[in-house]
Amino acid sequence: MMQELKHLAIIMDGNGRWAQNRGKRRIEGHKMGANVVRTITTWCAQNAISTLTLYAFSTENWKRPKYEVDFLMKMLKNYLDQELETYQKNNIRFFAIGDIDAFSSPLKEKIFEVQEKTSQNNALTQILALNYGGKNELSRAILHNKERISQASNAQEIEKVLEDSLDTRGIPSVDLLLRTGGEQRLSNFLLWQCSYAELFFTPTLWPDFTIVELNAIIDQFLKRHRRFGGL
Ligand code: IPE
Ligand code: IPE
Ligand code: MG
């Protein structure tokens, strides 16, 4: 049977190294990376992928120098401002996962505004993982559903409660997880949702990543035999 690729998730890593390799400041890498986000997102919308989740800022990324964190926050708001047009033109729904409460009010409002304005679009759902950590997501889900969880009588019921309470509720689990930048780790990304994802790692730094390489990876994915524990 032909493999289905409904949900592609990407850990966009290597922006800082891309810039440093060119003697530039790390933030220049983030700027270039934002262009690649637009290219890849538009391609996914035009090629029948239903969900694209992009890791943009982790719960651990606050450890970075204030200058870089501030830049990323500013860039995120500008990106959402600019991209509304791209979202509407390509019928893309924007959705954020992660602990958004930690962000400034203007940024939060921008996130909610773009979510609202694109909520009826249905070619692709682009999910940005913002202040996202898999452990934090699961912990919040438990915190907000203590009663339902305590009433559950078996593990299966708890699994259902959690599935329904994660930030990704209603979204199919990840089929293909890709990490650019050469590291082979999850860095707290979609721990629950990747339980049966096919994993791909490329040394290409995110600002250098292209549609051509994505196509080659998808070709390999389509040839893999997924068993989901069966035979
Ligand atoms: C990924 O690139 C983008 C974010 C984490 C915001 P990095 O900034 O981690 O780039 P490297 O890994 O240092 O090269
Ligand atoms: C993961 O990249 C987070 C994002 C891409 C947003 P990091 O660069 O933060 O991950 P580590 O620190 O190398 O694990
Ligand atoms: Mg990195």
Side-chain angles (χ1 to χ4, degrees), residues 12-18 20 26 30 56-57 61 64 68 72 205:
M12 310 182 287
D13 198 22
N15 291 349
R17 278 165 286 164
W18 182 92
Q20 282 163 336
R26 292 176 51 85
H30 296 315
F57 194 86
N61 286 146
R64 295 187 179 199
E68 184 168 340
L72 287 167
L205 304 174

Side-chain angles (χ1 to χ4, degrees), residues 55-193:
Y55 207 4
F57 194 86
S58 77
T59 47
E60 287 73 35
N61 286 146
W62 299 104
K63 292 179 196 164
R64 295 187 179 199
K66 186 174 183 304
Y67 172 73
E68 184 168 340
V69 171
D70 288 350
F71 177 84
L72 287 167
M73 294 300 141
K74 209 170 64 196
M75 195 178 85
L76 183 57
K77 183 156 179 299
N78 290 341
Y79 181 84
L80 291 175
D81 263 331
Q82 285 169 19
E83 288 315 289
L84 187 57
E85 200 187 320
T86 311
Y87 291 138
Q88 304 299 35
K89 214 159 60 190
N90 294 281
N91 196 14
I92 298 165
R93 175 168 80 113
F94 162 76
F95 189 68
I97 57 169
D99 201 349
I100 300 302
D101 276 350
F103 293 145
S104 71
S105 299
L107 179 53
K108 268 189 284 197
E109 280 158 26
K110 181 53 66 185
I111 290 168
F112 295 140
E113 180 201 323
V114 178
Q115 280 188 166
E116 176 64 33
K117 285 187 171 155
T118 62
S119 65
Q120 300 305 311
N121 294 349
N122 58 14
L124 169 80
T125 299
Q126 184 217 51
I127 302 177
L128 290 189
L130 306 171
N131 191 26
Y132 177 87
K135 290 185 179 180
N136 173 271
E137 178 192 36
L138 190 56
S139 305
R140 279 186 288 110
I142 294 168
L143 191 63
H144 297 139
N145 291 277
K146 279 190 236 158
E147 206 159 317
R148 280 176 72 198
I149 290 169
S150 68
Q151 281 162 4
S153 53
N154 58 48
Q156 220 179 338
E157 274 178 44
I158 292 184
E159 200 171 310
K160 178 83 175 69
V161 173
L162 292 175
E163 285 273 5
D164 292 347
S165 343
L166 291 171
D167 296 347
T168 53
R169 60 190 160 271
I171 286 156
S173 54
V174 176
D175 297 301
L176 193 173
L177 174 77
L178 165 67
R179 181 172 186 142
T180 63
E183 312 293 354
Q184 303 199 0
R185 54 177 171 255
L186 293 177
S187 302
N188 205 6
F189 188 46
L190 299 176
L191 300 179
W192 178 286
Q193 298 85 345

